[in-house]
Amino acid sequence: MTVRLAHVGIAVRSIVDARIFYEEVLGLEVEKVEEIESEGVKVALLPFPGGEIELLEPLAEDTPVGRFLERHGEGLHHLSFEVPDVHRSIVAGIEHGVETVGEAPRKGAEGREIAFFHPLFTHGVLVEVCGKAMEGARHRPGDETG
Ligand code: ZN
């Protein structure tokens, strides 16, 4: 069973502003910007070997990321781990009294199944588990149809 860090989610007020640091100072590149209406969030993915930075900008104040920004300001929002079987992780969570946030599983970026474990049960960090990207859902540079 392989688990890997999929991405580090960072709540920001503006992707346009935040990407400057990650691109100009760290040398990463925004591969893709996607709006996920159901989560009320705009997401920018900046991949690097071994993971990605996921910048999260709320589409409105009354959304999970909007409320996070109001309470905590910008900063680390969640860690995401790719797991072989999201359903199995949810069941294991239930067995150990670890509650998810909202509906689980649900659809995230790139058609992945995702679930969030509440920070109350994970020692203070919102933890996302995600399945593999749907075949063909991932954008490849030069492939403007995908
Ligand atoms: Zn995430």
Side-chain angles (χ1 to χ4, degrees), residues 100-133:
T100 54
V101 180
E103 193 191 323
R106 56 183 190 258
K107 278 277 182 282
E110 302 175 333
R112 292 170 190 263
E113 276 195 318
I114 61 171
F116 287 94
F117 291 116
H118 197 288
L120 270 179
F121 307 92
T122 61
H123 309 270
V125 181
L126 180 61
V127 173
E128 175 184 8
V129 288
C130 66
K132 297 220 181 304

Side-chain angles (χ1 to χ4, degrees), residues 41-54:
V41 76
K42 188 194 271 190
V43 172
L45 294 173
L46 299 92
F48 54 85
E52 291 182 316
I53 295 293
E54 179 185 75

Side-chain angles (χ1 to χ4, degrees), residues 32-75:
K32 162 176 187 173
V33 179
E34 185 179 356
E35 279 189 19
I36 306 170
E37 297 280 351
S38 58
E39 304 284 331
V41 76
K42 188 194 271 190
V43 172
L45 294 173
L46 299 92
F48 54 85
E52 291 182 316
I53 295 293
E54 179 185 75
L55 300 177
L56 302 157
E57 176 189 319
L59 295 176
E61 278 176 31
D62 188 27
T63 57
V65 174
R67 288 189 290 273
F68 178 93
L69 282 174
E70 203 173 291
R71 259 179 274 149
H72 307 282
E74 293 187 314

Side-chain angles (χ1 to χ4, degrees), residues 10-31:
I10 299 173
V12 302
R13 296 191 192 285
S14 160
I15 284 173
V16 169
D17 289 347
R19 66 188 286 177
I20 294 170
F21 169 75
Y22 290 95
E23 292 187 312
E24 302 304 325
V25 179
L26 283 191
L28 302 180
E29 259 179 65
V30 170
E31 179 192 68

